[in-house]
Amino acid sequence: LPIVSACAPHFGEEPALSGSHLGPGSAGGTGNVFLGHCNLRCVYCQNWQISQDFRAGAGREVQFEELAEMLLQLQAAGCHNVGFVSPTHFTPQVLRAVDIAAARGLHLPLVYNTNGYDSPDVLRELDGVFDIYLPDLRYSDDEAAREYSKAPDYVSHARSAVAEMYRQLGDGLVTDHRGLAV
């Protein structure tokens, strides 16, 4: 089951994702789902309690239907999109919850907010599901990746991952009349 640490409107992403408050009843922002744990071990992690503090629990397991309901609540709150933060290790679970939510009316753009340490094979499973990829490319040097994130082969993985993201969506960010990514 997926582990969810937090699920809420978030205004700290790029402006094309976060937007702004658009009036009464509209939360705006990215509806971020912060998933527990991470496939990297960055010494500088700003979300250490969520990603690496396994004794603290890093969130709670949720059923697929509950995660789907969270996505629909973010939509009802007026979020501009739904962003999954650190989704790589929960990709099958995320896909199942998105499928349930879509059947119940979820129609917001989906954002895959990743550290870039992804498998192109896994990303191919997302083709046609995610509308926006938001990879945080961390390193261009494998020695630094090994030292600071315990990922000695980060560079080749990240380059392959971004190439697959590009294959799926190209280089043109599509925005609406408000400048929000769609």
Side-chain angles (χ1 to χ4, degrees), residues 3-17:
I3 296 174
V4 175
S5 296
C7 179
H10 181 67
F11 293 89
E13 300 297 352
E14 286 70 8
L17 296 175

Side-chain angles (χ1 to χ4, degrees), residues 83-178:
F84 293 91
V85 180
S86 299
T88 301
H89 53 291
F90 286 122
T91 299
Q93 295 88 339
V94 165
L95 287 173
R96 186 163 175 194
V98 165
D99 190 46
I100 293 167
R104 296 180 185 168
L106 180 68
H107 57 79
L108 293 178
L110 299 177
V111 180
Y112 195 83
N113 187 339
T114 176
N115 58 39
Y117 197 51
D118 294 288
S119 161
D121 291 336
V122 171
L123 292 170
R124 279 190 277 282
E125 296 296 321
L126 305 177
D127 197 356
V129 176
F130 280 84
D131 304 289
I132 301 162
Y133 286 108
L134 186 61
D136 295 326
L137 294 176
R138 297 175 185 241
Y139 304 102
S140 61
D141 177 75
D142 276 333
E143 183 55 31
R146 183 201 59 73
E147 181 175 351
Y148 299 115
S149 295
K150 309 288 187 275
D153 55 353
Y154 178 88
V155 175
S156 64
H157 275 80
R159 287 179 178 165
S160 296
V162 169
E164 175 57 26
M165 294 172 195
Y166 181 83
R167 184 197 67 77
Q168 290 180 28
L169 298 176
D171 62 0
L173 180 64
V174 179
T175 59
D176 67 10
H177 66 283
R178 300 171 294 181

Side-chain angles (χ1 to χ4, degrees), residues 22-73:
L22 299 174
S26 178
T30 294
N32 268 349
V33 178
F34 293 90
L35 295 159
H37 309 309
C38 184
N39 62 342
L40 293 179
R41 297 289 171 263
C42 302
V43 298
Y44 51 81
C45 183
Q46 66 183 10
N47 294 319
W48 184 85
Q49 296 84 353
I50 294 171
S51 67
Q52 298 178 41
D53 191 358
F54 300 109
R55 288 177 296 204
R60 65 180 182 87
E61 284 186 343
V62 298
Q63 298 294 321
F64 301 111
E65 293 78 13
E66 184 179 1
L67 180 53
E69 186 57 34
M70 290 176 180
L71 306 180
L72 293 167
Q73 288 172 0

